[in-house]
Amino acid sequence: MPGEAQDKEIWPLPEFYFKVSIDDIGDMSFKEVSGLDMEFDVIEYRAGDSKDFTKVKMPGLRKSGDITLKKGIFVSDKRFWDWIGEVKMNTIKRRAVTISLLDESGSPAQSWKLTNAWPKKITVEGFKADGNNVAMETLILVHEGITLA
């Protein structure tokens, strides 16, 4: 019936209903979140006395890409600028960041937690005199790993 909750076994979650929580900053709304990926380096090895004409491939160190967060610029909202302003030579306040995909009731259905995240770059998208879009800023976070929360 129309208006009923969708069966969780049949329908995947939509991508448009999500939130980002940053320790000591709080919940924030974003237009876009990207970069949730993880991969492993590959170690290739072949023993000199191996009769196989191939290398053995083993998992190496785990690595994760940078996270890109895009949001509109709001009056007096300078939380990103304050955080990136804390960066000093080899010191920064690292924070846990949780990115949650929400169900129709607004509860987290799937969450990813970034460990020891800190801002690497902030960009103001630019302005156009004949533009019709919202002013945007982009924050790029580096971190030390992604886990399902």
Side-chain angles (χ1 to χ4, degrees):
M1 275 186 95
E4 289 184 26
Q6 293 181 352
D7 185 348
K8 294 176 187 170
E9 302 298 320
I10 297 173
W11 298 100
L13 294 166
E15 67 177 7
F16 60 82
Y17 196 24
F18 62 93
K19 75 174 180 178
V20 177
S21 301
I22 303 171
D23 283 359
D24 301 330
I25 293 178
D27 291 350
M28 296 188 73
S29 296
F30 291 92
K31 177 184 179 194
E32 184 178 326
V33 175
S34 61
L36 284 168
D37 62 50
M38 181 177 60
E39 67 178 289
F40 289 89
D41 286 332
V42 176
I43 300 169
E44 294 183 353
Y45 176 78
R46 182 178 181 277
D49 61 352
S50 174
K51 294 183 188 219
D52 293 331
F53 197 64
T54 186
K55 297 176 185 175
V56 174
K57 295 184 180 185
M58 301 174 285
L61 295 175
R62 181 176 62 189
K63 58 185 176 180
S64 301
D66 297 344
I67 303 297
T68 303
L69 305 169
K70 292 185 178 187
K71 72 175 203 59
I73 297 174
F74 292 90
V75 175
S76 302
D77 182 9
K78 57 187 188 86
R79 293 179 281 185
F80 281 170
W81 290 94
D82 291 342
W83 190 15
I84 203 165
E86 295 172 2
V87 175
K88 306 287 186 255
M89 182 59 72
N90 202 25
T91 60
I92 181 60
K93 171 88 176 179
R94 297 169 186 260
R95 294 183 164 99
V97 176
T98 304
I99 300 165
S100 300
L101 203 50
L102 307 175
D103 63 16
E104 62 270 3
S105 68
S107 300
Q110 182 88 31
S111 296
W112 297 265
K113 186 172 183 174
L114 310 179
T115 304
N116 292 330
W118 57 274
K120 167 181 143 177
K121 180 179 180 180
I122 190 166
T123 304
V124 175
E125 298 289 319
F127 313 113
K128 294 180 184 175
D130 63 347
N132 201 17
N133 294 322
V134 171
M136 300 289 294
E137 61 186 355
T138 301
L139 184 73
I140 298 178
L141 299 178
V142 295
H143 57 92
E144 295 173 1
I146 299 173
T147 55
L148 282 175

